[in-house]
Amino acid sequence: GSGGFRKRKHDNFPHGQRREEKENVKPPSALMTSFKSFQLELDTRHDKYERLVKLSRDITIESKRTIFLLHRFTSAPNGEEILSESEVKLDAVRRKIKQVAQELIGEDMYQFHRAISPGLQEYVEAVSFQYFIKTRSLISVEEINKQLVFTAEDREETTNMTSNSHDKESPSWSLKVTPVDYLLGVADLTGELMRLCISSVGNGDIDTPFELSQFLRQIYDGFTFIGNTGPYEVSKKLYTLKQSLAKVENACYTLKVRGSEIPKHMLADVFSTKTELIDQEEGLP
Amino acid sequence: MSVSEMFAALQGALGQDQDIREEIRKVVQALEQTAREILTLLQGVHQGPGFQHIPKKCQKAREHFGTVRTQMESLKTKFPADQYYRFHEHWRFVLQRLVFLAAFVVYLESETLVTREAVAEILGIEADRERGFHLDIEDYLSGVLTLASELARLAVNSVTAGDYSRPLRISTFINELDSGFRLLNLKNDSLRKRYDGLKYDVKKIEEVVYDLSIRGLNKEATVVAGGEK
């Protein structure tokens, strides 16, 4: 593509002093030949990276939409419908992940990890959110990975790698969510659970907040157990997680103390002011 | 599985990861030490009398690369072979430095650009990802760019030492290298930033050549060089 005009540039040497007796460098010298192959290799790699970034973005968008959909679950009377709809959406996301897995056949996944990591985290968030709504428990990383094993029905050949011959053709291939991606996704999940808690109070649901605070506390304990064993991003999320937990715990507190006094339809107002207060406090240095 | 069990399992995995990183860091430190020794050795060529001892210094440097190969062997055993890029960051810097040193030695010996395969061989690793611990292309190119700035410096110092023909040869070499890099479509990453520095090296060498030619020193140099050959 755009390399075409660059190739010409080296022909018009502006360096006159070499004309006399130094041989002008002919384009097909050994050095130029090897740089041409480098060009090909780098372009192939960058193209693949770009394709993966695009897939990752699509995965992120679709997962976010699934999460929004699932937030409607508690308020809607047709809960089952929403769950099955979210399943359809997640299937679509998994098809995208399948494409990612196809791109990565014969590659070192970590070479392109940065391209796909945001999408995978968002997917973990969506899947674990759905799993929580269905079963009230945390999905394990193994369970997530189990759903990401794909079989070769309509496999598109990835023959664009010239230097790369896939001799070990397996009938199925998979993508593994790394522990770190999983942890970051679960940390994001807690934010969604906090929102679910506050909105369920608004809907007059008194039991869910307590269940959620219980669940969030378990996750928080888990994260503190990991502490700084994990990478920097994980410890960074710990702070937000703490905030989410505080909001949910305060919600439960208010429910306990004032729940009996305040009419249910006004509870939502109480919580919105309550959470704002927390926000202000946490915002202080 | 309960939440706490899950997190315990994850903690275990992360802990193992940390152990691996720790092991890698140790070997990389040793590699850095060797790289520094080679660099110190080769820095000698910039001093006046150093120019006469280039072959000897290269030979010594080659011996040091034997140590590098042993250390590389031990690095390979520290992590699963298919997870190269997972830990890549740990040895990226030192590998680029070693590529530069190997390329410098090869340049001083034969005044050619070392191929990727040859560097891999000098360092005792593979050129191809398929066959194990390999030399990433971007690391190779980064090392080559470091060579360019070192040669710009060498051009200046060889004039000081009275060797007027070397800058001309370096100029040819760097110009060809520059044309080579022009072929690449680089992304906006660290390699690109380093490549952006190449033009200053080219410029520096051209200035040296210019200084020599307006004083007629390059003619003298070519006569001397021609006489030697």
Side-chain angles (χ1 to χ4, degrees):
Chain A
S2 61
F5 71 96
R6 294 188 182 182
K7 277 178 206 164
R8 297 262 61 84
K9 267 196 170 170
H10 66 265
D11 287 341
N12 37 342
F13 288 110
H15 325 299
Q17 73 276 0
R18 297 195 286 117
R19 256 178 287 148
E20 295 134 35
E21 40 84 61
K22 297 276 170 197
E23 276 289 309
N24 255 4
V25 186
K26 291 279 176 285
S29 68
L31 192 146
M32 293 310 266
T33 323
S34 52
F35 269 83
K36 276 209 181 90
S37 75
F38 297 158
Q39 180 196 45
L40 185 71
E41 191 175 341
L42 281 173
D43 286 352
T44 313
R45 180 187 285 191
H46 292 161
D47 288 350
K48 189 181 274 279
Y49 193 89
E50 287 308 320
R51 283 197 300 275
L52 286 169
V53 167
K54 191 169 176 300
L55 281 171
S56 168
R57 283 216 187 104
D58 291 347
I59 292 169
T60 309
I61 292 167
E62 267 311 298
S63 303
K64 274 210 160 80
R65 285 185 186 149
T66 312
I67 291 167
F68 273 109
L69 175 74
L70 286 168
H71 269 300
R72 270 171 249 146
F73 174 75
T74 41
S75 51
N78 48 349
E80 282 309 310
E81 233 169 78
I82 284 184
L83 266 188
S84 60
E85 200 185 329
S86 72
E87 195 55 47
V88 173
K89 272 184 181 292
L90 284 178
D91 272 335
V93 177
R94 276 192 279 270
R95 271 200 295 281
K96 290 275 179 205
I97 297 180
K98 182 178 176 177
Q99 280 174 276
V100 171
Q102 272 170 337
E103 287 282 359
L104 291 176
I105 294 171
E107 299 284 345
D108 187 337
M109 181 214 173
Y110 283 95
Q111 188 177 0
F112 301 98
H113 189 235
R114 267 226 304 249
I116 55 170
S117 179
L120 286 182
Q121 286 174 30
E122 207 66 32
Y123 171 72
V124 169
E125 186 180 342
V127 155
S128 56
F129 193 38
Q130 193 211 33
Y131 190 86
F132 175 80
I133 287 174
K134 276 201 286 201
T135 68
R136 302 274 143 172
S137 59
L138 184 65
I139 193 168
S140 69
V141 66
E142 289 83 9
E143 198 122 354
I144 290 178
N145 284 334
K146 226 184 282 167
Q147 294 177 331
L148 299 181
V149 178
F150 308 102
T151 46
E153 327 123 83
D154 54 349
R155 170 169 174 189
E156 302 154 44
E157 274 301 335
T158 44
T159 42
N160 44 2
M161 282 296 287
T162 43
S163 61
N164 195 0
S165 59
H166 328 293
D167 27 61
K168 38 172 187 160
E169 296 253 326
S170 49
S172 77
W173 63 98
S174 62
L175 193 80
K176 282 211 165 50
V177 173
T178 65
V180 174
D181 283 340
Y182 172 75
L183 279 174
L184 294 175
V186 169
D188 291 339
L189 166 73
T190 58
E192 299 305 326
L193 294 179
M194 183 269 292
R195 282 175 61 193
L196 182 68
C197 168
I198 303 299
S199 69
S200 64
V201 177
N203 294 325
D205 183 348
I206 308 288
D207 302 324
T208 310
F210 290 98
E211 243 173 275
L212 279 168
S213 80
Q214 182 75 16
F215 185 63
L216 278 182
R217 220 168 285 146
Q218 282 177 12
I219 293 181
Y220 180 74
D221 289 348
F223 269 98
T224 34
F225 181 66
I226 283 174
N228 53 7
T229 325
Y232 169 69
E233 299 102 294
V234 174
S235 1
K236 216 167 60 181
K237 296 255 174 178
L238 200 58
Y239 176 71
T240 332
L241 175 51
K242 203 170 177 177
Q243 280 182 313
S244 298
L245 181 62
K247 280 178 199 172
V248 171
E249 282 179 341
N250 279 316
C252 290
Y253 167 81
T254 317
L255 269 183
K256 251 300 186 281
V257 178
R258 322 249 308 263
S260 49
E261 306 162 12
I262 302 175
K264 273 180 186 158
H265 67 271
M266 280 174 66
L267 272 176
D269 299 333
V270 175
F271 280 106
S272 54
T273 50
K274 190 89 193 166
T275 45
E276 270 165 31
L277 260 175
I278 295 167
D279 277 337
Q280 282 165 6
E281 282 164 20
E282 301 279 352
L284 291 173
Chain B
M1 221 205 294
S2 79
V3 173
S4 61
E5 276 168 357
M6 272 182 224
F7 274 91
L10 287 168
Q11 204 277 335
L14 291 174
Q16 273 174 11
D17 229 59
Q18 267 195 335
D19 294 344
I20 293 178
R21 286 174 201 279
E22 205 55 54
E23 288 286 310
I24 290 174
R25 231 168 273 151
K26 271 185 219 154
V27 187
V28 166
Q29 262 169 18
L31 271 171
E32 275 167 355
Q33 177 62 33
T34 320
R36 271 196 299 273
E37 280 164 20
I38 300 175
L39 184 63
T40 316
L41 192 67
L42 291 177
Q43 287 300 309
V45 301
H46 289 291
Q47 284 152 12
F51 283 92
Q52 283 97 55
H53 305 304
I54 284 179
K56 218 168 81 191
K57 285 194 195 305
C58 288
Q59 207 196 330
K60 266 199 186 150
R62 288 237 178 216
E63 284 163 22
H64 277 76
F65 275 111
T67 322
V68 171
R69 281 193 286 274
T70 350
Q71 283 161 343
M72 280 293 181
E73 275 314 312
S74 112
L75 180 60
K76 285 176 207 171
T77 62
K78 300 299 180 207
F79 66 98
D82 56 346
Q83 298 188 354
Y84 180 91
Y85 284 101
R86 185 163 180 195
F87 305 106
H88 189 195
E89 289 305 315
H90 292 291
W91 56 74
R92 194 164 203 167
F93 177 79
V94 73
L95 198 55
Q96 289 175 2
R97 162 74 41 110
L98 287 167
V99 169
F100 152 63
L101 292 169
F104 197 27
V105 169
V106 170
Y107 180 81
L108 290 173
E109 284 171 352
S110 63
E111 307 212 340
T112 55
L113 178 68
V114 70
T115 61
R116 193 171 158 201
E117 290 73 21
V119 185
E121 206 186 312
I122 291 172
L123 302 180
I125 56 181
E126 301 293 341
D128 213 346
R129 190 176 79 81
E130 312 280 292
R131 287 188 298 183
F133 194 100
H134 68 288
L135 174 60
D136 186 85
I137 182 167
E138 293 183 28
D139 293 341
Y140 167 73
L141 292 173
S142 284
V144 169
L145 286 172
T146 317
L147 173 69
S149 39
E150 188 69 16
L151 289 183
R153 197 180 146 213
L154 186 67
V156 172
N157 289 330
S158 53
V159 172
T160 318
D163 182 349
Y164 298 144
S165 64
R166 188 176 288 274
L168 302 183
R169 298 199 303 273
I170 291 180
S171 167
T172 318
F173 180 77
I174 293 279
N175 276 310
E176 197 182 359
L177 204 59
D178 190 40
S179 331
F181 271 98
R182 276 169 203 271
L183 285 181
L184 307 178
N185 309 309
L186 297 176
K187 283 218 299 187
N188 207 1
D189 56 7
S190 67
L191 183 60
R192 163 72 188 276
K193 265 184 218 129
R194 294 187 130 196
Y195 164 69
D196 287 343
L198 180 61
K199 58 177 177 281
Y200 300 110
D201 302 326
V202 173
K203 183 166 170 263
K204 181 81 223 162
I205 294 166
E206 278 173 4
E207 277 168 11
V208 172
V209 172
Y210 168 78
D211 281 340
L212 291 177
S213 32
I214 57 163
R215 290 169 180 80
L217 290 169
N218 63 338
K219 291 228 181 65
E220 190 184 313
T222 48
V223 168
V224 173
E228 275 171 4
K229 277 169 194 169

